[in-house]
Every structure is written in C-alpha cells, then in structure tokens.
C-alpha cells in the first residue's frame, strides 16, 4: 500500500463529506418516520426520486430555476405525505406491514417514473452543475456543497424544533408513549399527519439535490436503500442530527477506503460500521 | 465447395436485402410463423431493451411487408423478463412449451441470454441473440451471436484500441485501468492490462469498483493524481459519465479516455464526454450507411425513436446488433427454406452472412467469428468511427485533448 498525497487524501475526504451529506439528507426523513411514527417507510426512496424527476422536468422542460423547485416541491410533497399517512392509519398498518406496503408504493412510483420519463437516463443540465471553487487547493463543487448545507440546516432545525417547541415535544411524547401523550391532550392523529408530511417534504428536498448532482434513472431507487438504512440505524431512529453524523462518517470512511485501498472496498464500509455498532453498542442502533 | 456455399449464402442475403428495400408483399399463405423472445422491458436494463424492441418491430413489420418468412406472416411474441435472468428462463420455457412458438429470438444482455440458452439447449432450439458479452460462457452449439466481438475479446478488443492509439499523433506511454467489477466488463479490463503490458505501456494505476458505486470523487482524484496518458475505463451504463463528471469537478480532463460500454446518449451529449473513445460495430455514417439496407433502417429507426421519445434516437451498437440478429434468422430461413432448428443452425455454421455491421461467421470458438469491433469517438456531440480507417467516418480521425 502506497500512501496517497495529502492533497489526494483531503480531496477524497471532502468528497466523502459531500456524499455523506446526501446520505444524511435522505436518511433524515426516513429515520424520523421510523423512530417517531414507527413506520419503515421504503416509499421515502421513491419520493426522493419522484421529486428528482419532477425537479428535472420543471427545470429542463418548463425552464424553472432548479433552486426555485426547492420552494415549490416540499409543500406538494407534504400533502402527499399527509395523504399517505391517512391511508396507512385508515387501515391500521403495523410497523412490519408498513415495510411491505411502502415497498409496494415504491414499486408503483418507479413504474410511474418509467411511464412518464421512460427508463432512459435523464440529466438536469443547469448552470449550478458547472459551478465550483477552490479552497486551499481543494475543489468544492457547488451542488454538493448545497446538499451538505441543506442537510446540516434541516438536521439542526429539526433538532431544535423537537427540543424547544411544543409541537416537537408533543411529537417526542407521542413516540415515547402514545396513549399517555393522548391522555395529556396531544392529538396523535394530527401530529402523525404533520410528521409524515414533513418527512416526505424532506424527501423532496433530497430529491432536488439529487437531481442537481446525479444522472437519473428509475431503477437507481433501490441502490440507495442499503447504505441509507445503515446511516439511519447508525444515527439512531428518530434522531435529527444522528443520520447526518452517521452519513458523514460512512461517506468519509468509504472515501478513505477508496483512496487507501481500493474503491471496491467502499461498499463493505457502511455495513461493517453497522455490525461494529451492533456488537459494541447493542440497543443504540 | 466452400465457395459454392458462400455464393448460396450471399444469394440468400442479397434476396433478403433486396426484399428489405422492395415494395409490398406478395400473398402470404398459411398460419403465421411465431417467433418468441423476451426483453427487459422493465427493470435496470429496460432503457436499452427498448432499443431492441423498436428494432425488432421495425424489422418484423418490414419483413411482413415483404411477404414474411417463406410466404408466412411473422408474429413476434415479446415477453417482459424484468431484467431478471431467472424470469427470462421461465418465460423461454413458456414460449417453447405453452406458446409453442416456431422459433426463438434471443433476449438482450449476457445474463438473460445465458438463461435463454439453457432453455434452448434443453429443447434443441436455435438461439440467435443480440449482445452477449462473455464468449467463453456460451457452450451451446446452436447459439449464434449477432454481436461480432470474436471468441477472445479480452485480447482482440484492447489490441484494436492500442492499434488505433499507436497510429495517433502522440501515442500514449502510460495507462490507468479503472474498472467496474460487472462480469462482462471486468474480464475485458483485465485483458486490457495484459495487452497494455505486452505492448510496453506503463501502468500507473489500476482500480476496481463494485457495480452500483455511488461516489466517483475519490476515484477521479486518484486518476488525476496518477497523471496517465490514457485512462482505460471498464464501465457500463452511466459509470463513465459519473467518473467524468467527478473528474470535471476536480478541473481534470484526461488526455485520452476510453470507455468500454458507456450509455451512448449521455456520453455523446455530455460536455465532459468530448473525445471519449469506445467500441462499436455500427454508427450512423458512411461507409456503414452505404449499404442501402442499413440506410433504410437508420432512417426508419431515427423517425420511430424520435416519435417514441427516445433521448438518443440514433442507431449504434445495440440497435445494429438487434437488426443483425433478425438478418441472420431471415438469411438462414431463406437459404434453407425451412424452420427446422437443426437445419438453420447447420447452415449458419457453414456460411458467412453479410449484415449491416459486416460479414459474420460462426466457425470459431463457441460459435463466435471475427472480432468486428471498431473504435469510435465522440466528436461534435456525435459518435463517429475513427478506426480502422476502412470504417472511419468520412474525414474523421482520432482526436486528442
């Protein structure tokens, strides 16, 4: 093994931070839904990609600035999240069954994407995609930086909201013990709608960032499931900041493995970390 | 005797090709000839499978206008294998046992073709297939590849590439081989390493990644750090684009970059795809389009692909291989005047068949023939063949950064 140059190592670690930001942003809504609503929402990945495709369409076909879609899509997806929660609660879907139901929804979303945009590759070409600057000899691409900044912003905003607002406290109480929380006047049904809507809205934000950074193809949906699950479990279910931290740890670890050893070692990293976590800190993941 | 067979073969093809250009059919008799196949109409391979579906539809429609096969209309039954080899196997069983098709046509992609080959072997059916990437795995004696990559592409294809580069104004002296571990790609990249070594190129970097890799930033950084004259990228689908995008973010443009199986549209149209090299059997320019059958197919395909909303509406490797497969089937049926699988197979083994990609033969290892792979390059947002000179686009030559 030959040691890489400092510049190569630093650039790769930076790249790890950026991909970690994407992991964290996707994992944020998934982890909140899993931890607080007790729903393993696989459709979260479908919503990320649906948002990415709509963002692509709005920018490429209708000429809307991709960043403007960040203002348009979250409210729309919030409503979708509320509708999905209504559907799940209407039929009293258990946590395990939510995995199956939302898997079905994901497959339906994938089919919808294929129907509308075909299975071919789509790339959102925008001026932002070309933007980059250098800091101390390191190249910083703007779309990836934006993703990381949004991941940090939402992680801490949601952490603060959960900790310091009545709504956040009520959500935590609901997750802790629903019946007791209800006895204190907390409207579980309303809160679950709001939370589900917020999680799907977060998926839409991740989708816009995804479209800015990656070329789109419908079947990519499932290639992100494994690593983001690891991120959510490492970060802690229901945690706002945890997935971001775990995402960055995994992203940087993968990048370092790619530089020091071989890129083919990268996929082993996330699950090795998860297994270590389960071995040494059982119950935390 | 051999020359007599060849004349018969050429006559059969000429008759078929003239037919492709001819007008409406004569009367068709009897029940239709049913040809069964699967394609990955959904799933990860569906983008490319749609190319094969459109090509097959164009060919069968035209064939029927010309009178079908031996005067019988052709009915093409296509089932969706969902990009899953195990589903392809089940569906080919159905096609033979339940649908009772007269002939089989292969699916697209190596895994599905291998599955179909097993079924074809069980029922002694001839299987002509489109793009099978690992010749050493094709052991069935009645399979016929329409993609002419030869029996040992791991050696012959890199040699073609290095021949092309050796004739360039500034041949590369150092090489970085970076490759996906996707099965039909990986052995070609390992072959390229061996060939490069034998030809005296200094390897400055070798990297492998798992198929489905998401972050190409560190790989791009390592390539940039290694400063190779040539980057041999063993990629499939979007991987090459992702690597080039990551390089661009580091302000790095490799002097020469070769991509094994890139997604043709995204690579040709992406700004960072400029001067990308790859392999081909057919592109939309002379001398390929000097063949009137090819020219007619290109015109029809362009029109139909645009109407279907394909992002890349040009004929290249996949469509050409698919068209070739149908040409092979038609040639064999026309020459033998039979739908008997054994007779068709024997004829194909003994004869050479002119197609839109060149003349194919099947008398070498595992029924593969000559390696007809050529080198193409993205120039002005289009793929153009640059090597060998006999197949190069008019006025085209290899460009370097």
């Amino acid at each position: 093994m030959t040691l890489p140059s400092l510049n190569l190592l630093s650039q790769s670690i930076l790249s790890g931070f950026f991909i970690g930001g994407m992991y964290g942003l996707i994992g944020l809504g998934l982890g909140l839904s899993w931890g607080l609503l007790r729903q393993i929402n696989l459709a979260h990945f479908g919503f990320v990609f649906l948002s990415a495709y709509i963002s692509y369409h709005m920018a490429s076909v209708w000429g809307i600035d991709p960043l403007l879609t960040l203002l348009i899509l979250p409210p729309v997806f919030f409503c979708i999240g509320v509708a999905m929660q209504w559907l799940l609660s209407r039929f009293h879907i258990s946590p395990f069954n939510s995995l199956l139901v939302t898997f079905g929804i994901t497959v339906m979303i994938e089919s919808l994407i294929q129907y509308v945009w075909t299975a071919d590759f789509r790339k959102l070409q925008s001026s932002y995609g070309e933007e980059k600057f250098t800091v101390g000899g390191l190249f910083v691409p703007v779309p990836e930086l934006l993703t990381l900044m949004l991941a940090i912003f939402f992680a801490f905003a949601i952490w603060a909201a959960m900790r310091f607002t009545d709504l956040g406290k009520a959500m935590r109480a609901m997750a802790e013990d629903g019946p007791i929380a209800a006895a204190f006047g907390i409207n579980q049904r309303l809160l679950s709608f709001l939370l589900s809507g917020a999680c799907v809205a977060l998926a839409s934000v991740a989708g816009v960032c995804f479209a800015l950074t990656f070329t789109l193809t419908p079947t990519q949906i499932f290639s992100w499931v494994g690593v983001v699950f690891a991120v959510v479990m490492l970060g802690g279910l229901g945690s706002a900041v945890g997935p971001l931290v775990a995402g960055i740890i995994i992203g940087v670890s993968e990048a370092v493995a790619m530089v020091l050893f071989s890129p083919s070692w990268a996929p082993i990293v996330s699950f090795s970390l998860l297994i270590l976590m389960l071995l040494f800190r059982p119950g935390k993941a | 005797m051999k020359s007599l067979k060849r004349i018969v073969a050429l006559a059969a093809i000429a008759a078929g090709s003239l037919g492709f250009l001819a007008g409406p059919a004569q009367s068709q008799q009897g029940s239709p000839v049913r040809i069964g196949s699967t394609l990955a109409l959904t799933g990860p391979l569906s983008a490319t499978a749609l190319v094969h579906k459109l090509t097959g539809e164009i060919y069968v429609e035209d064939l029927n206008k010309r009178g079908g096969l031996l005067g019988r209309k052709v009915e093409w039954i296509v089932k969706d294998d969902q990009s899953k080899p195990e589903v392809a196997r089940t569906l080919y069983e159905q096609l033979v046992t339940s649908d009772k098709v007269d002939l089989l046509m292969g699916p697209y992609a190596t895994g599905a073709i291998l599955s179909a080959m097993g079924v074809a072997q069980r029922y002694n059916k001839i299987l002509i297939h489109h793009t099978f990437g690992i010749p050493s795995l094709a052991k069935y004696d009645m399979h016929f590849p329409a993609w002419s990559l030869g029996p040992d592409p791991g050696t012959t294809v890199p040699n073609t590439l290095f021949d092309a580069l050796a004739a360039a104004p500034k041949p590369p002296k150092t090489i970085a081989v970076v490759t996906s571990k996707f099965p039909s790609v990986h052995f070609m990249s390992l072959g390229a390493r061996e060939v490069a070594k034998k030809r005296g190129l200094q390897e400055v970097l070798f990297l492998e990644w798992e198929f489905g890799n998401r972050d190409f930033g560190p790989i791009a950084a390592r390539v940039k750090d290694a400063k190779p004259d040539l980057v041999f990228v063993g990629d499939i689908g979007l991987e090459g684009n992702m690597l080039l995008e990551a390089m661009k973010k580091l302000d790095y443009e490799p002097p020469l970059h070769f991509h094994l199986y890139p997604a043709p549209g995204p690579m040709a149209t992406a700004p960072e795809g400029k001067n990308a090299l790859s392999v081909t059997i057919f592109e939309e320019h002379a001398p390929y389009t000097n063949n009137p059958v090819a020219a007619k197919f290109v015109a029809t395909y362009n029109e139909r692909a645009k109407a279907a909303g394909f992002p890349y509406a040009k004929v290249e490797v996949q469509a050409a291989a698919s068209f070739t497969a149908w040409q092979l089937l038609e040639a064999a049926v026309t020459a033998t005047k039979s739908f008997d699988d054994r007779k068709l197979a024997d004829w194909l083994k003994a004869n050479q068949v002119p197609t839109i990609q060149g003349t194919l033969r099947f008398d070498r290892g595992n029924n593969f023939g000559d390696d007809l792979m050529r080198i193409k390059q993205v120039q002005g947002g289009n793929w153009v063949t640059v090597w060998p000179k006999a197949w190069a686009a008019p006025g085209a030559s290899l460009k370097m950064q």
Side-chain angles (χ1 to χ4, degrees):
Chain A
M1 184 181 78
T2 53
L3 285 177
S5 66
L6 187 62
N7 185 273
L8 171 59
L9 189 63
S10 308
Q11 186 69 58
S12 298
I13 289 172
L14 191 62
S15 175
F17 267 91
F18 292 141
I19 194 80
M22 178 58 82
Y23 293 159
L25 193 53
I26 298 176
L28 179 57
L30 181 70
L32 289 175
S33 163
W34 194 342
L36 302 181
L37 284 174
R38 302 281 184 260
Q39 280 167 6
I40 310 167
N41 182 14
L42 273 176
H44 191 79
F45 297 93
F47 290 129
V48 170
F49 273 76
L50 184 61
S51 162
Y53 270 91
I54 295 174
S55 176
Y56 154 81
H57 194 90
M58 291 169 88
S60 304
V61 181
W62 299 339
I64 296 173
D65 189 302
L67 292 187
L68 205 57
T69 64
L70 273 174
L71 300 176
I72 301 167
L73 290 178
V76 176
F77 276 73
F78 179 89
C79 297
I80 295 173
V82 171
M84 189 182 73
Q85 180 59 27
W86 175 83
L87 194 73
L88 294 176
S89 60
R90 168 74 181 75
F91 294 101
H92 306 290
I93 306 291
S94 67
F96 178 70
N97 286 344
S98 72
L99 188 69
L100 301 175
V101 171
T102 55
F103 176 75
I105 294 173
T106 311
V107 173
M108 289 163 70
I109 292 172
E110 187 195 350
S111 301
L112 176 73
I113 290 171
Q114 280 205 26
Y115 179 76
V116 178
W117 291 281
T118 77
D120 225 317
F121 305 113
R122 305 280 167 175
K123 175 73 180 163
L124 195 164
Q125 300 287 0
S126 77
S127 56
Y128 303 111
E130 307 284 316
E131 296 291 330
K132 60 176 177 289
F133 57 90
T134 54
V135 179
L138 299 180
F139 290 89
V140 182
V142 169
E144 279 89 337
L145 181 65
L146 177 73
T147 303
L148 183 62
M149 286 168 60
L150 283 172
I152 293 170
F153 169 76
F154 280 109
F156 283 97
I158 289 169
W159 172 80
M162 300 291 273
R163 192 171 178 86
F164 300 117
T165 68
D166 288 344
L167 189 68
K169 287 173 185 169
M171 281 183 182
R172 284 162 56 206
M174 177 185 77
E176 190 74 26
D177 194 329
I180 294 293
F184 279 85
I186 289 173
N187 186 339
Q188 281 194 79
R189 189 173 159 80
L190 178 66
L191 282 184
S192 65
F193 286 164
L194 288 177
L195 188 58
S196 176
C199 290
V200 177
L202 283 169
S204 75
V205 174
V208 174
C209 294
F210 196 92
L212 279 171
T213 312
F214 294 94
T215 302
L216 304 174
T217 176
T219 48
Q220 273 182 339
I221 292 176
F222 297 102
S223 70
W224 287 76
V225 172
V227 70
V228 174
F229 260 66
V231 161
V232 168
M233 294 181 77
L234 269 176
L237 305 181
S239 166
V241 180
L244 175 66
V245 174
I248 289 173
I249 288 172
I250 287 179
V252 170
S253 305
E254 285 179 342
V256 170
M258 285 193 196
V259 171
L260 291 182
F261 308 107
S262 167
S264 59
W265 284 48
I268 303 168
V269 170
S270 51
F271 290 101
S272 301
L273 287 172
L274 184 61
I275 290 167
L276 287 175
M277 173 86 169
L278 291 169
L279 283 174
F280 293 107
R281 298 190 68 196
K284 292 289 179 187
Chain B
M1 188 65 190
K2 265 191 175 175
S3 59
L4 179 65
K5 279 181 180 172
R6 192 168 176 187
I7 289 166
V8 172
L10 290 171
I13 294 308
S17 298
L18 283 173
F20 190 84
L21 297 168
Q26 300 141 12
S27 64
Q28 296 179 2
Q29 299 159 357
S31 58
V33 179
R34 302 174 80 224
I35 300 175
S37 62
T38 78
L39 284 173
L41 300 178
T42 55
L45 304 176
S46 55
T48 309
L50 293 177
V51 170
H52 291 271
K53 184 164 182 281
L54 177 59
T55 305
E57 287 168 354
I58 290 171
Y59 199 99
V60 172
E61 279 172 27
D62 188 80
L63 184 60
N64 282 332
K65 279 185 196 161
R66 293 188 276 114
L69 286 173
L70 304 183
R72 287 167 65 187
K73 191 182 170 194
V74 172
E75 184 187 336
W76 185 32
I77 300 165
V78 191
K79 300 194 177 206
D80 178 13
D81 63 37
Q82 301 165 34
S83 307
K84 295 174 184 167
E86 68 278 14
V87 176
R89 183 184 302 115
T90 306
L91 293 177
Y92 271 92
E93 285 272 1
Q94 276 181 18
L95 285 166
V96 176
T97 59
S98 174
D99 296 302
K100 297 191 188 307
V101 295
D102 299 291
L103 293 167
L104 293 178
M105 175 57 76
Y108 146 71
T110 303
I113 293 171
L114 264 181
S115 291
M117 209 179 285
V119 178
Q121 186 164 15
R122 196 174 312 138
Y123 295 99
N124 295 313
K125 301 292 289 181
I126 184 173
L127 186 75
I128 299 170
H129 50 80
H130 305 178
T131 44
F132 185 78
I134 314 177
S136 62
L137 295 181
K139 304 290 187 189
Y140 178 43
D141 75 329
M142 289 209 290
H143 91 92
F144 295 92
W147 186 27
S148 52
L149 75 173
D152 184 19
T155 303
T156 53
V157 171
N159 264 317
T160 305
L161 170 67
F162 296 138
D163 285 345
L165 295 174
K170 194 181 166 196
K173 292 190 172 71
T174 59
I175 183 172
V177 178
V178 293
T179 183
S180 168
K181 290 174 92 171
F182 192 82
S184 53
V185 167
H186 193 243
F187 83 98
M188 296 280 280
S189 300
L190 297 184
R193 289 186 83 188
E194 290 302 313
V195 174
K197 195 174 164 188
K198 282 180 187 159
R199 296 180 68 126
L201 273 88
Q202 185 198 348
E203 184 181 283
V204 291
L205 182 69
F206 174 68
L207 291 179
E208 297 165 309
W209 66 81
E210 293 295 337
F211 180 64
N213 181 52
R214 289 170 295 271
D215 185 11
F216 281 85
I219 300 172
R222 287 188 71 172
V223 174
K224 182 183 180 185
D225 205 51
K227 300 185 185 71
D229 296 334
L230 164 68
V231 187
F232 182 104
V233 188
D235 54 350
I236 187 162
L238 269 189
E239 291 175 327
N241 279 76
M242 292 165 82
L243 179 60
L244 289 176
E245 283 166 15
M247 287 175 173
K248 193 176 180 183
K249 284 169 185 167
L250 302 178
D251 247 359
Y252 173 64
E253 201 176 342
L256 282 166
H257 51 115
F258 171 85
H259 302 264
L260 196 51
Y261 303 134
M267 184 61 82
T269 51
E272 55 274 13
K274 182 187 160 199
N275 291 354
L277 293 159
S278 188
V279 283
T280 187
I281 51 170
F282 184 95
E283 296 300 324
E284 276 194 18
H285 57 69
Y288 303 100
T289 49
N290 292 342
N291 176 344
V293 176
K296 185 185 172 192
F297 170 54
V298 165
T300 312
Y301 183 91
N302 290 165
E303 186 186 318
R304 298 271 294 267
K306 272 181 201 151
F310 286 16
Y312 191 73
K314 294 184 174 172
V315 175
E316 54 87 60
V317 175
Q318 298 291 344
S322 195
F323 192 88
T324 300
W326 288 98
Q327 282 189 299
L328 296 176
L329 188 64
E330 184 184 357
V333 170
T334 307
T336 58
K337 295 186 172 51
S338 169
F339 296 112
D340 182 86
D341 291 275
R342 174 51 66 187
K343 281 185 185 167
L344 298 175
D346 289 345
W347 186 85
L348 280 172
K349 273 189 186 178
N351 291 281
Q352 295 186 20
V353 186
T355 71
I356 60 167
Q357 58 177 290
T359 301
L360 266 61
R361 56 198 285 180
F362 307 97
D363 54 357
R364 297 177 66 193
N366 288 352
N367 285 5
F368 280 78
D370 299 316
D371 175 1
L372 299 183
M373 298 278 254
R374 295 125 193 170
I375 303 302
K376 65 179 176 180
Q377 187 171 39
V378 174
Q379 295 184 2
N382 290 308
W383 286 107
V384 292
T385 307
V386 293
W387 185 268
K389 287 199 166 123
W391 289 95
S397 61
L398 194 145
K399 285 190 168 51
M400 304 179 81
Q401 307 287 23

